[in-house]
């Protein structure tokens, strides 16, 4: 039996070995491409989900704080009299106690026409002027404002604040300020987002 020389390519590598090496390189390149695509998809999904969480929380926090502030404004027996003279009827006192005990309402303030607190859930707030920079320029001109704050070093407490003006025509008669704890809802929204991310990772793996 005659010995036949093995086929060689131009680099001097046997053709079969060269084909195998080329195939492995192609497979490695394909795997790298797939990995990069998966990482980009996960990063984009993570960003979109976190942004969606924040948007949903802001919408719900705005609605919750505004709803409580409007509830106070609309259920006083004579809110303007209270704001001007600080007088409360028994019905008003019961209303304020109900609000402070209800749901996630942390505290409230009733602000008079001069921008000073007339009544509040915390006695130390009474008589103080509204400190927010936007109060005089926006709220006193009839605009409802909602703020959301992440309190605590680890941003573990989420509080929404609503400032709802009371107007008589174009004249500012006072405002209702309500602070609502949204921490529980923020955690629920984050858990939902994490479950969606877990599902995406499972689909990509």
């Amino acid at each position: 039996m005659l010995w036949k020389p093995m086929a060689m390519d131009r680099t001097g590598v046997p053709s079969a070995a060269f084909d195998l090496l080329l195939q492995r390189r192609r497979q490695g390149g394909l795997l790298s491409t797939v990995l990069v695509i998966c990482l980009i998809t996960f990063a984009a999904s993570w960003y979109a989900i976190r942004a969606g969480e924040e948007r949903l929380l802001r919408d719900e926090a705005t609605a919750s704080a505004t709803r409580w502030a409007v509830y106070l404004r609309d259920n006083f027996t004579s809110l303007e009299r209270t704001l001007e003279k600080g007088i409360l009827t028994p019905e008003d006192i019961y209303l304020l106690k109900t609000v402070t005990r209800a749901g996630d309402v942390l505290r409230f303030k009733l602000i008079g026409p001069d921008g000073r607190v007339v009544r509040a859930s915390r006695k130390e707030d009474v008589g103080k002027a509204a400190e927010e920079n936007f109060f005089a320029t926006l709220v006193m001109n009839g605009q409802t404002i909602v703020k959301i704050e992440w309190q605590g070093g680890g941003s573990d407490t989420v509080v929404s604040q609503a400032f709802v003006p009371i107007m008589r025509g174009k004249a500012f008669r006072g405002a209702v300020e309500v602070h609502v704890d949204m921490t529980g809802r923020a955690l629920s929204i984050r858990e939902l987002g994490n479950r969606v991310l877990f599902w995406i990772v499972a689909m990509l793996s």
Side-chain angles (χ1 to χ4, degrees):
M1 182 176 181
L2 297 177
W3 175 80
K4 293 183 178 180
M6 183 177 294
M8 309 285 284
D9 69 351
R10 294 180 179 178
T11 63
V13 179
S15 297
F18 180 78
D19 292 341
L20 180 60
L21 179 61
L22 183 60
Q23 182 180 4
R24 288 180 176 177
R25 285 183 178 177
R26 288 174 178 173
Q27 290 175 346
L30 179 60
L31 290 175
S32 298
T33 302
V34 171
L35 180 59
V36 169
I37 292 174
C38 289
L39 290 175
I40 292 174
T41 301
F42 176 78
S45 300
W46 183 91
Y47 177 81
I49 290 172
R50 295 305 185 222
E53 289 173 5
E54 182 174 351
R55 184 166 57 252
L56 178 59
L57 178 61
R58 287 187 177 277
D59 290 345
E60 293 194 12
T62 297
S64 179
T66 303
R67 182 170 59 250
W68 278 111
V70 171
Y71 176 81
L72 272 177
R73 183 192 66 184
D74 294 345
N75 285 276
F76 261 82
T77 54
S78 179
L79 184 54
E80 285 194 26
R81 181 184 62 184
T82 300
L83 295 175
E84 291 175 358
K85 301 179 180 180
I87 299 174
L88 293 175
T89 65
E91 292 80 8
D92 295 336
I93 294 173
Y94 178 78
L95 173 65
L96 293 177
K97 287 182 178 180
T98 301
V99 169
T100 53
R101 294 171 181 170
D104 298 316
V105 176
L106 296 174
R107 60 183 183 271
F108 67 86
K109 298 176 185 177
L110 303 180
I111 303 171
D114 60 353
R116 293 188 175 276
V117 179
V118 176
R119 289 280 178 173
S121 53
R122 300 190 306 187
K123 293 182 179 180
E124 59 267 27
D125 291 332
V126 176
K128 294 181 179 180
E131 299 176 351
E132 290 74 14
N133 295 329
F134 56 78
F135 192 87
T137 57
L138 299 177
V139 180
M140 294 185 77
N141 285 309
Q143 186 171 342
T144 296
I145 299 295
V146 177
K147 290 172 52 182
I148 300 176
E149 292 185 351
W150 279 260
Q151 301 176 353
S155 299
D156 49 3
T157 302
V158 183
V159 177
S160 59
Q161 307 171 26
F163 302 79
V164 177
I166 295 104
M167 309 294 291
R168 182 187 292 172
K170 294 184 178 180
F172 176 74
R173 307 303 300 164
V176 177
E177 177 184 338
V178 174
H179 297 229
V180 179
D181 185 3
M182 295 295 295
T183 305
R185 186 56 185 148
L187 291 174
S188 298
I189 293 174
R190 174 53 56 90
E191 289 174 0
L192 176 61
N194 288 341
R195 286 198 295 269
V196 173
L197 280 174
F198 178 80
W199 179 82
I200 292 174
V201 171
M203 292 291 292
L204 293 174
S205 60

